Amino acid sequence: MLLILKPQMTKTDANELIARLAWMNLKTFITEDDNRYCIALIHHPDQKINLELFSELPGVEKIVPFKERFKLASRNFKRSRTIIEIGPVKIGDGSLTFMAGPCSIETEQQVYQTAQALASQGVKILRGGAFKPRTSPYDFQGLGETGLDYLSKAAKAHNMLCISEVMDTKEVEIVAKYVDILQIGARNMQNFSLLKAVGEIKKPVLLKRGMHATYHDFLLAAEYILTAGTMEVMLCERGIRTFEGYTRNTLDLSAVPVLQELSHLPVIVDPSHAVGMSRFVPKLAYAAVACGADGLLVEVHPEPNKALCDGQQSLTPDEFAKMAKKCMQLREIL
Ligand code: PEP
Ligand code: MN
Protein backbone atom coordinates (compact mmCIF):
# COMPACT_ATOMS: atom_id res chain seq x y z
CA MET A 1 0.00 0.00 0.00
CA LEU A 2 0.93 3.61 -0.40
CA LEU A 3 1.02 6.20 2.37
CA ILE A 4 0.38 9.65 0.94
CA LEU A 5 1.87 12.17 3.31
CA LYS A 6 0.45 15.60 4.07
CA PRO A 7 1.89 18.36 1.84
CA GLN A 8 3.80 20.00 4.71
CA MET A 9 5.75 16.81 5.49
CA THR A 10 9.43 17.07 4.55
CA LYS A 11 11.77 14.32 3.41
CA THR A 12 13.23 14.22 6.94
CA ASP A 13 9.72 13.70 8.34
CA ALA A 14 9.14 10.94 5.80
CA ASN A 15 12.41 9.24 6.75
CA GLU A 16 11.51 9.48 10.44
CA LEU A 17 8.24 7.77 9.67
CA ILE A 18 10.07 5.02 7.79
CA ALA A 19 12.37 4.54 10.80
CA ARG A 20 9.32 4.18 13.06
CA LEU A 21 7.98 1.45 10.79
CA ALA A 22 11.27 -0.47 10.68
CA TRP A 23 10.21 -2.92 13.40
CA MET A 24 7.41 -4.20 11.16
CA ASN A 25 9.91 -5.63 8.72
CA LEU A 26 8.27 -3.98 5.74
CA LYS A 27 10.13 -2.87 2.65
CA THR A 28 9.71 0.87 2.23
CA PHE A 29 10.28 3.05 -0.81
CA ILE A 30 9.88 6.79 -0.93
CA THR A 31 8.94 9.02 -3.83
CA GLU A 32 8.12 12.68 -4.28
CA ASP A 33 5.09 13.40 -6.40
CA ASP A 34 3.09 16.60 -6.91
CA ASN A 35 5.29 18.21 -4.23
CA ARG A 36 4.46 15.67 -1.58
CA TYR A 37 6.09 12.51 -0.35
CA CYS A 38 4.62 9.06 -0.71
CA ILE A 39 5.89 5.94 1.02
CA ALA A 40 5.28 2.56 -0.56
CA LEU A 41 5.03 -0.22 1.97
CA ILE A 42 5.65 -3.61 0.51
CA HIS A 43 4.61 -6.53 2.64
CA HIS A 44 4.45 -10.25 2.18
CA PRO A 45 0.96 -11.32 0.99
CA ASP A 46 0.61 -13.48 4.13
CA GLN A 47 1.42 -10.60 6.44
CA LYS A 48 -1.74 -9.19 8.02
CA ILE A 49 -1.76 -5.42 7.92
CA ASN A 50 -4.15 -3.21 9.83
CA LEU A 51 -4.80 -0.25 7.55
CA GLU A 52 -6.33 1.87 10.31
CA LEU A 53 -3.12 1.72 12.27
CA PHE A 54 -1.32 3.44 9.42
CA SER A 55 -3.92 6.14 8.83
CA GLU A 56 -3.39 7.28 12.42
CA LEU A 57 0.33 7.83 11.93
CA PRO A 58 1.38 11.49 12.16
CA GLY A 59 1.68 13.19 8.79
CA VAL A 60 -0.25 10.55 6.85
CA GLU A 61 -3.05 12.04 4.77
CA LYS A 62 -4.39 8.91 3.16
CA ILE A 63 -3.71 5.31 2.35
CA VAL A 64 -4.04 3.98 -1.15
CA PRO A 65 -3.87 0.25 -1.85
CA PHE A 66 -1.89 -0.80 -4.93
CA LYS A 67 -4.21 -1.74 -7.76
CA GLU A 68 -1.73 -3.88 -9.67
CA ARG A 69 0.79 -6.59 -8.87
CA PHE A 70 3.54 -4.28 -10.03
CA LYS A 71 3.81 -1.52 -7.47
CA LEU A 72 6.85 0.72 -7.79
CA ALA A 73 6.54 0.65 -11.58
CA SER A 74 2.92 1.78 -11.39
CA ARG A 75 1.35 5.19 -11.80
CA ASN A 76 -0.19 4.53 -8.41
CA PHE A 77 3.24 4.92 -6.83
CA LYS A 78 4.29 7.83 -9.01
CA ARG A 79 1.82 9.86 -11.01
CA SER A 80 4.37 12.04 -12.77
CA ARG A 81 6.59 10.58 -15.48
CA THR A 82 10.07 9.53 -14.42
CA ILE A 83 12.81 11.61 -15.98
CA ILE A 84 16.16 9.89 -16.06
CA GLU A 85 19.06 12.33 -15.98
CA ILE A 86 22.47 11.08 -16.94
CA GLY A 87 24.92 13.95 -17.14
CA PRO A 88 23.50 16.38 -19.69
CA VAL A 89 20.99 13.88 -21.09
CA LYS A 90 17.39 13.72 -19.93
CA ILE A 91 15.21 10.77 -20.89
CA GLY A 92 11.45 10.86 -20.42
CA ASP A 93 11.13 14.66 -20.22
CA GLY A 94 9.13 14.89 -23.43
CA SER A 95 12.18 14.96 -25.69
CA LEU A 96 13.15 12.18 -28.09
CA THR A 97 16.33 10.36 -27.13
CA PHE A 98 18.34 8.45 -29.71
CA MET A 99 20.55 5.56 -28.70
CA ALA A 100 22.37 4.27 -31.73
CA GLY A 101 25.35 2.22 -32.77
CA PRO A 102 26.34 -1.21 -33.96
CA CYS A 103 24.77 -4.43 -32.80
CA SER A 104 28.25 -5.63 -31.80
CA ILE A 105 31.50 -3.87 -31.20
CA GLU A 106 33.84 -5.44 -33.73
CA THR A 107 36.93 -3.24 -33.97
CA GLU A 108 38.15 -0.04 -32.39
CA GLN A 109 37.95 1.68 -35.77
CA GLN A 110 34.36 0.54 -36.42
CA VAL A 111 33.09 1.91 -33.12
CA TYR A 112 35.03 5.20 -33.45
CA GLN A 113 33.78 5.74 -36.98
CA THR A 114 30.19 5.08 -35.89
CA ALA A 115 30.51 7.31 -32.83
CA GLN A 116 31.90 10.16 -34.90
CA ALA A 117 29.12 9.96 -37.49
CA LEU A 118 26.40 9.75 -34.82
CA ALA A 119 27.84 12.51 -32.63
CA SER A 120 27.80 14.82 -35.66
CA GLN A 121 24.05 14.12 -35.87
CA GLY A 122 23.56 15.13 -32.24
CA VAL A 123 23.18 11.58 -30.91
CA LYS A 124 24.13 11.52 -27.23
CA ILE A 125 24.07 7.79 -26.47
CA LEU A 126 26.21 5.22 -28.25
CA ARG A 127 25.11 1.59 -28.22
CA GLY A 128 27.25 -1.47 -28.83
CA GLY A 129 27.18 -5.07 -27.69
CA ALA A 130 30.24 -6.69 -26.14
CA PHE A 131 28.58 -9.72 -24.55
CA LYS A 132 26.24 -10.97 -27.25
CA PRO A 133 23.22 -13.22 -26.68
CA ARG A 134 23.50 -15.17 -29.94
CA THR A 135 20.99 -17.86 -30.82
CA SER A 136 23.79 -20.12 -32.09
CA PRO A 137 26.94 -20.82 -30.07
CA TYR A 138 28.86 -20.84 -33.38
CA ASP A 139 28.10 -17.17 -34.08
CA PHE A 140 30.29 -14.24 -33.03
CA GLN A 141 29.88 -13.87 -29.27
CA GLY A 142 31.28 -10.34 -28.87
CA LEU A 143 34.62 -8.92 -27.77
CA GLY A 144 33.81 -8.93 -24.05
CA GLU A 145 35.71 -6.44 -21.91
CA THR A 146 37.92 -5.32 -24.81
CA GLY A 147 34.77 -4.28 -26.65
CA LEU A 148 33.51 -2.35 -23.64
CA ASP A 149 36.82 -0.52 -23.50
CA TYR A 150 36.53 0.50 -27.18
CA LEU A 151 32.91 1.54 -26.67
CA SER A 152 33.51 3.71 -23.61
CA LYS A 153 36.60 5.35 -25.13
CA ALA A 154 34.77 6.10 -28.39
CA ALA A 155 31.83 7.53 -26.45
CA LYS A 156 34.03 9.72 -24.25
CA ALA A 157 36.02 10.96 -27.24
CA HIS A 158 32.77 12.18 -28.81
CA ASN A 159 31.11 13.49 -25.64
CA MET A 160 28.57 10.69 -25.65
CA LEU A 161 27.21 8.30 -23.06
CA CYS A 162 27.17 4.59 -23.77
CA ILE A 163 24.94 1.57 -23.28
CA SER A 164 25.76 -2.13 -23.51
CA GLU A 165 24.08 -5.40 -22.65
CA VAL A 166 24.90 -7.46 -19.60
CA MET A 167 24.01 -11.13 -19.86
CA ASP A 168 25.25 -12.66 -16.64
CA THR A 169 25.32 -11.75 -12.96
CA LYS A 170 29.08 -12.42 -13.03
CA GLU A 171 29.55 -9.63 -15.60
CA VAL A 172 27.43 -6.91 -14.03
CA GLU A 173 30.33 -5.14 -12.32
CA ILE A 174 32.57 -5.30 -15.38
CA VAL A 175 29.90 -3.87 -17.68
CA ALA A 176 28.92 -1.23 -15.11
CA LYS A 177 32.55 -0.07 -14.94
CA TYR A 178 32.44 1.00 -18.60
CA VAL A 179 28.88 2.00 -19.42
CA ASP A 180 26.36 4.65 -18.35
CA ILE A 181 23.31 2.46 -19.00
CA LEU A 182 23.06 -1.29 -18.50
CA GLN A 183 20.95 -3.13 -21.04
CA ILE A 184 19.02 -6.28 -20.23
CA GLY A 185 18.21 -8.14 -23.42
CA ALA A 186 14.89 -9.67 -24.41
CA ARG A 187 16.18 -13.18 -23.69
CA ASN A 188 17.03 -12.22 -20.13
CA MET A 189 13.92 -10.23 -19.25
CA GLN A 190 12.93 -12.86 -16.74
CA ASN A 191 16.40 -13.73 -15.48
CA PHE A 192 15.45 -12.62 -12.00
CA SER A 193 18.90 -12.98 -10.44
CA LEU A 194 20.29 -10.76 -13.17
CA LEU A 195 17.51 -8.20 -12.69
CA LYS A 196 18.25 -8.02 -8.96
CA ALA A 197 21.98 -7.75 -9.60
CA VAL A 198 21.64 -4.82 -12.05
CA GLY A 199 19.22 -3.10 -9.67
CA GLU A 200 21.79 -3.26 -6.90
CA ILE A 201 24.43 -1.52 -9.03
CA LYS A 202 22.29 1.64 -9.01
CA LYS A 203 22.98 2.69 -12.58
CA PRO A 204 20.26 3.39 -15.16
CA VAL A 205 18.92 0.24 -16.81
CA LEU A 206 17.25 -0.31 -20.17
CA LEU A 207 15.06 -3.40 -19.89
CA LYS A 208 13.99 -5.03 -23.14
CA ARG A 209 10.65 -6.75 -23.41
CA GLY A 210 10.91 -10.52 -23.65
CA MET A 211 9.63 -11.89 -26.94
CA HIS A 212 6.74 -13.66 -25.24
CA ALA A 213 6.14 -11.27 -22.38
CA THR A 214 2.84 -9.57 -21.66
CA TYR A 215 2.82 -5.99 -20.37
CA HIS A 216 2.27 -7.34 -16.87
CA ASP A 217 5.23 -9.75 -17.17
CA PHE A 218 7.31 -6.85 -18.46
CA LEU A 219 6.35 -4.51 -15.63
CA LEU A 220 6.89 -7.19 -13.02
CA ALA A 221 10.38 -7.74 -14.45
CA ALA A 222 10.98 -3.98 -14.10
CA GLU A 223 9.70 -4.29 -10.53
CA TYR A 224 12.60 -6.64 -9.71
CA ILE A 225 15.07 -3.92 -10.71
CA LEU A 226 13.15 -1.17 -8.92
CA THR A 227 12.83 -3.10 -5.67
CA ALA A 228 16.53 -3.94 -5.81
CA GLY A 229 17.29 -0.23 -5.53
CA THR A 230 17.34 1.50 -8.94
CA MET A 231 14.48 3.79 -9.85
CA GLU A 232 16.07 4.66 -13.19
CA VAL A 233 14.60 2.01 -15.46
CA MET A 234 13.60 2.39 -19.12
CA LEU A 235 11.22 -0.05 -20.78
CA CYS A 236 12.13 -1.04 -24.34
CA GLU A 237 9.62 -2.48 -26.79
CA ARG A 238 11.61 -4.48 -29.36
CA GLY A 239 8.96 -6.60 -31.02
CA ILE A 240 7.32 -9.81 -29.93
CA ARG A 241 6.91 -13.23 -31.51
CA THR A 242 3.68 -13.68 -33.44
CA PHE A 243 2.55 -16.03 -36.20
CA GLU A 244 4.07 -13.62 -38.76
CA GLY A 245 7.41 -14.96 -39.90
CA TYR A 246 8.22 -12.48 -42.67
CA THR A 247 9.60 -9.89 -40.28
CA ARG A 248 12.00 -10.84 -37.48
CA ASN A 249 9.43 -9.93 -34.82
CA THR A 250 6.22 -7.91 -34.70
CA LEU A 251 6.56 -4.41 -33.32
CA ASP A 252 3.81 -3.93 -30.77
CA LEU A 253 3.22 -0.20 -30.92
CA SER A 254 0.31 -0.41 -28.49
CA ALA A 255 2.99 -1.03 -25.88
CA VAL A 256 4.02 2.63 -26.01
CA PRO A 257 0.78 4.34 -24.90
CA VAL A 258 -0.29 1.40 -22.73
CA LEU A 259 2.97 1.17 -20.79
CA GLN A 260 3.06 4.95 -20.44
CA GLU A 261 -0.39 4.81 -18.90
CA LEU A 262 0.34 1.88 -16.59
CA SER A 263 3.78 3.09 -15.61
CA HIS A 264 5.75 6.28 -15.04
CA LEU A 265 8.90 4.79 -16.60
CA PRO A 266 10.19 6.04 -19.98
CA VAL A 267 9.35 3.86 -22.97
CA ILE A 268 11.94 3.34 -25.72
CA VAL A 269 11.29 1.60 -29.04
CA ASP A 270 13.84 -0.55 -30.89
CA PRO A 271 12.60 -0.77 -34.48
CA SER A 272 15.75 -2.62 -35.63
CA HIS A 273 15.22 -5.88 -33.74
CA ALA A 274 11.47 -5.57 -34.21
CA VAL A 275 11.37 -5.71 -38.00
CA GLY A 276 14.84 -7.10 -38.72
CA MET A 277 15.18 -5.47 -42.17
CA SER A 278 16.89 -2.12 -42.50
CA ARG A 279 14.59 -0.81 -45.24
CA PHE A 280 11.61 -0.93 -42.89
CA VAL A 281 13.35 0.51 -39.83
CA PRO A 282 12.67 4.22 -40.59
CA LYS A 283 8.93 3.69 -41.11
CA LEU A 284 8.62 1.91 -37.77
CA ALA A 285 10.69 4.60 -36.10
CA TYR A 286 8.27 7.28 -37.38
CA ALA A 287 5.33 5.26 -36.09
CA ALA A 288 7.01 4.94 -32.69
CA VAL A 289 7.51 8.70 -32.56
CA ALA A 290 3.86 9.20 -33.48
CA CYS A 291 2.89 6.88 -30.61
CA GLY A 292 4.84 9.04 -28.16
CA ALA A 293 7.98 6.96 -27.58
CA ASP A 294 10.51 8.63 -25.29
CA GLY A 295 13.39 7.36 -27.37
CA LEU A 296 14.63 5.08 -30.11
CA LEU A 297 17.31 2.41 -29.95
CA VAL A 298 18.63 1.89 -33.46
CA GLU A 299 21.36 -0.29 -34.94
CA VAL A 300 23.82 1.64 -37.11
CA HIS A 301 26.93 0.21 -38.78
CA PRO A 302 29.39 1.97 -41.12
CA GLU A 303 29.30 -1.05 -43.45
CA PRO A 304 26.19 -3.12 -42.69
CA ASN A 305 27.04 -5.76 -45.30
CA LYS A 306 30.26 -6.55 -43.43
CA ALA A 307 28.73 -6.57 -39.93
CA LEU A 308 29.42 -9.63 -37.78
CA CYS A 309 25.93 -9.44 -36.32
CA ASP A 310 22.57 -8.03 -37.46
CA GLY A 311 23.91 -6.27 -40.57
CA GLN A 312 20.61 -6.89 -42.39
CA GLN A 313 18.78 -4.63 -39.95
CA SER A 314 21.49 -2.00 -39.49
CA LEU A 315 21.26 1.45 -41.04
CA THR A 316 24.28 3.25 -42.47
CA PRO A 317 25.13 6.51 -40.71
CA ASP A 318 23.63 8.42 -43.68
CA GLU A 319 20.39 6.47 -43.55
CA PHE A 320 20.27 7.07 -39.82
CA ALA A 321 20.81 10.81 -40.29
CA LYS A 322 17.87 11.07 -42.72
CA MET A 323 15.65 9.06 -40.42
CA ALA A 324 16.60 11.00 -37.28
CA LYS A 325 15.90 14.31 -39.01
CA LYS A 326 12.43 13.17 -40.04
CA CYS A 327 11.73 11.81 -36.56
CA MET A 328 12.53 15.22 -35.07
CA GLN A 329 10.32 16.99 -37.63
CA LEU A 330 7.51 14.60 -36.90
CA ARG A 331 7.88 15.17 -33.18
CA GLU A 332 7.67 18.93 -33.72
CA ILE A 333 4.47 18.59 -35.77
CA LEU A 334 2.88 16.34 -33.17
C1 PEP B 1 20.52 -6.01 -28.89
O1 PEP B 1 19.99 -4.92 -28.63
O2 PEP B 1 21.68 -6.10 -29.32
C2 PEP B 1 19.76 -7.27 -28.70
C3 PEP B 1 20.38 -8.44 -28.64
O3 PEP B 1 18.44 -7.07 -28.62
P1 PEP B 1 17.27 -8.04 -28.07
O4 PEP B 1 17.66 -8.41 -26.68
O5 PEP B 1 16.08 -7.14 -28.16
O6 PEP B 1 17.19 -9.21 -29.00
MN1 MN C 1 21.37 -6.74 -32.71
Side-chain angles (χ1 to χ4, degrees):
M1 76 188 133
L2 199 56
L3 306 185
I4 315 255
L5 304 191
K6 291 180 179 153
Q8 65 270 27
M9 294 287 280
T10 63
K11 189 159 190 184
T12 314
D13 298 331
N15 281 326
E16 270 171 23
L17 195 56
I18 288 174
R20 284 181 63 171
L21 298 170
W23 66 275
M24 291 190 76
N25 228 351
L26 297 165
K27 268 192 161 186
T28 49
F29 297 89
I30 184 167
T31 187
E32 193 187 354
D33 212 2
D34 298 339
N35 288 324
R36 65 169 67 195
Y37 289 96
C38 301
I39 301 171
L41 297 177
I42 314 279
H43 58 91
H44 193 273
D46 296 340
Q47 199 174 356
K48 292 274 171 291
I49 295 283
N50 181 355
L51 285 183
E52 270 170 38
L53 192 84
F54 288 95
S55 53
E56 282 160 23
L57 284 170
V60 173
E61 187 169 284
K62 65 174 170 179
I63 296 184
V64 181
F66 283 113
K67 289 195 208 100
E68 310 275 4
R69 281 173 75 208
F70 50 92
K71 302 174 197 298
L72 303 188
S74 74
R75 284 274 188 171
N76 227 192
F77 178 55
K78 193 165 178 286
R79 268 173 291 176
S80 57
R81 307 275 323 273
T82 286
I83 299 172
I84 299 179
E85 273 191 68
I86 320 169
V89 179
K90 282 189 188 166
I91 305 164
D93 65 341
S95 60
L96 180 67
T97 304
F98 288 101
M99 305 180 199
C103 179
S104 304
I105 300 145
E106 298 164 1
T107 64
E108 197 169 13
Q109 196 210 351
Q110 168 235 22
V111 71
Y112 261 74
Q113 210 180 327
T114 317
Q116 191 176 31
L118 293 171
S120 73
Q121 295 301 321
V123 176
K124 298 276 176 1
I125 305 175
L126 182 65
R127 67 146 285 154
F131 293 97
K132 293 304 304 173
R134 302 306 302 276
T135 300
S136 163
Y138 305 116
D139 290 338
F140 176 58
Q141 303 286 308
L143 295 183
E145 192 168 356
T146 309
L148 293 173
D149 186 47
Y150 295 162
L151 177 76
S152 78
K153 284 188 180 143
K156 281 199 184 87
H158 297 92
N159 254 329
M160 296 168 96
L161 303 171
C162 64
I163 172 170
S164 197
E165 176 166 352
V166 54
M167 291 210 300
D168 196 301
T169 49
K170 295 196 289 289
E171 289 149 6
V172 173
E173 280 189 19
I174 300 172
V175 181
K177 202 169 95 188
Y178 292 94
V179 305
D180 304 284
I181 306 169
L182 292 153
Q183 177 174 324
I184 299 288
R187 291 156 191 80
N188 269 319
M189 189 206 81
Q190 284 185 317
N191 180 339
F192 302 117
S193 321
L194 183 61
L195 300 178
K196 285 186 214 164
V198 293
E200 282 163 11
I201 285 280
K202 301 198 191 321
K203 273 204 162 189
V205 177
L206 179 130
L207 175 66
K208 289 192 140 194
R209 181 179 181 187
M211 27 196 127
H212 307 105
T214 63
Y215 301 146
H216 277 82
D217 295 338
F218 193 12
L219 291 166
L220 283 167
E223 195 77 14
Y224 270 91
I225 305 172
L226 299 168
T227 51
T230 305
M231 289 311 286
E232 297 181 314
V233 177
M234 288 161 254
L235 305 168
C236 179
E237 163 58 41
R238 46 76 74 204
I240 48 171
R241 282 273 163 92
T242 64
F243 56 79
E244 183 52 72
Y246 190 79
T247 52
R248 184 172 181 179
N249 290 289
T250 298
L251 180 61
D252 175 16
L253 278 172
S254 314
V256 181
V258 173
L259 292 171
Q260 285 175 344
E261 186 180 275
L262 291 173
S263 176
H264 50 86
L265 300 171
V267 179
I268 310 295
V269 170
D270 171 351
S272 310
H273 290 87
V275 70
M277 288 176 261
S278 59
R279 66 185 185 281
F280 298 124
V281 167
K283 293 271 166 70
L284 293 191
Y286 307 146
V289 173
C291 283
D294 295 292
L296 294 168
L297 179 72
V298 183
E299 286 190 338
V300 177
H301 193 287
E303 292 178 283
N305 52 350
K306 294 196 184 146
L308 297 180
C309 181
D310 286 352
Q312 76 291 351
Q313 66 191 34
S314 301
L315 300 180
T316 62
D318 282 351
E319 286 166 344
F320 174 84
K322 280 194 204 112
M323 182 199 80
K325 198 168 157 222
K326 264 202 193 173
C327 285
M328 295 311 284
Q329 288 170 341
L330 192 55
R331 218 190 114 257
E332 284 302 308
I333 296 166
L334 290 166

